Amino acid sequence: MVEQARTGNFVVAVDGPSGSGKSTVSRRLASVAGARYLDTGAMYRAVTWAVLRAGVDPHDADGVEKVAADVTLSIGTDPAAPHVVADGVAVDDEIRGSEVTSAVSAVAAVPAVREMLVVEQRALIAAHAPIVVEGRDIGSVVAPDADLKVYLTASAETRAHRRSAETAADVAATAEALARRDRLDSTRTADPLQQAPDAVALDTTEMGIDEVVARLRDLLHDRTAR
Ligand code: DC
């Protein structure tokens, strides 16, 4: 059921670690609220895809910065069919592969890459709001004035099970890869994963998707009705 777009060009920021349910929840919330959807992780992944395609070492910050400055991204914001095109190539499948996944934290840690992508993300938000935006630094950096900020978490075990169900990879290996990525994403100097002080924290370990989406829809309703 799709409701009428709510009053105003609201922005919802959804942050949290991998496997916390961000993508599913954000897409569903955008659909029921009549909003657009922006997956900022897909943008970091698309730049990483371009870095690997150019044969640049993801840890070579200068090389990575050059690739990021040159690549042209086109990001679809339909919650029913989000898509990413990099330099004219549809990269939706490739950016979810293991090569990109294991290199993306290094690319996302390069301050110049973050600066460029934050500018693009703010422009997309301004052009497409009302919008639900998911990432790691949305409430803290990209959209500090968001109408609703949400920080989703779940136990490490639950997150590993969710991710391995999506990727058909071994649970233990997935748990290890997630822990590594969490560590890199939370400890980098530039805009690390963090909960904005005014974010609503939801632990989704014991919650179903419907329950999380319903809770956020109510919160959004309260915020936008003011
Ligand atoms: O949400 P995801 O797994 O697709 O994100 C891919 C990577 O990009 C992840 O390692 C963290 C990084 N990222 C980020 O640094 N800032 C964002 N706003 C979104 C993602």
Side-chain angles (χ1 to χ4, degrees):
M1 182 186 60
V2 177
E3 289 178 0
Q4 286 299 305
R6 295 185 187 282
T7 44
N9 289 334
F10 63 78
V11 176
V12 180
V14 183
D15 291 301
S18 311
S20 56
K22 282 192 314 290
S23 299
T24 314
V25 166
S26 300
R27 283 179 67 174
R28 290 268 293 276
L29 179 64
S31 292
V32 298
R36 306 301 285 185
Y37 161 71
L38 178 62
D39 175 3
T40 60
M43 298 172 75
Y44 287 96
R45 286 173 178 272
V47 171
T48 305
W49 172 86
V51 165
L52 296 176
R53 188 175 72 152
V56 168
D57 177 351
H59 294 95
D60 166 11
D62 290 342
V64 166
E65 180 179 345
K66 283 197 188 78
V67 174
D70 285 347
V71 69
T72 302
L73 300 183
S74 162
I75 310 293
T77 60
D78 178 351
H83 73 91
V84 186
V85 176
D87 287 338
V89 182
V91 293
D92 303 278
D93 291 337
E94 273 181 87
I95 62 172
R96 307 284 162 204
S98 58
E99 260 194 290
V100 167
T101 298
S102 46
V104 65
S105 289
V107 170
V110 177
V113 171
R114 305 200 67 81
E115 279 166 32
M116 285 180 239
L117 290 188
V118 168
V119 168
E120 285 192 38
Q121 289 157 11
R122 288 183 178 151
L124 285 162
I125 291 168
H128 295 282
I131 192 163
V132 178
V133 188
E134 67 152 287
R136 302 291 190 290
D137 59 343
I138 310 306
S140 53
V141 175
V142 177
D145 297 331
D147 299 86
L148 173 63
K149 298 182 188 178
V150 184
Y151 191 82
L152 294 184
T153 53
S155 72
E157 195 189 348
T158 299
R159 295 194 288 118
H161 274 98
R162 286 179 186 162
R163 261 299 140 92
S164 81
E166 277 164 25
T167 57
D170 174 69
V171 180
T174 306
E176 227 173 88
L178 276 187
R180 178 181 156 271
R181 209 139 66 85
D182 283 354
R183 200 169 51 246
L184 291 171
D185 293 339
S186 311
T187 57
R188 67 174 177 235
T189 331
D191 310 340
L193 165 67
Q194 58 180 310
Q195 180 180 338
D198 50 348
V200 176
L202 272 189
D203 183 335
T204 69
T205 306
E206 304 286 344
M207 292 175 83
I209 294 293
D210 289 346
E211 197 183 347
V212 179
V213 172
R215 180 87 64 87
L216 296 184
R217 196 166 66 156
D218 289 348
L219 283 169
L220 178 61
H221 188 263
D222 290 348
R223 300 287 168 97
T224 53
R226 272 190 218 144

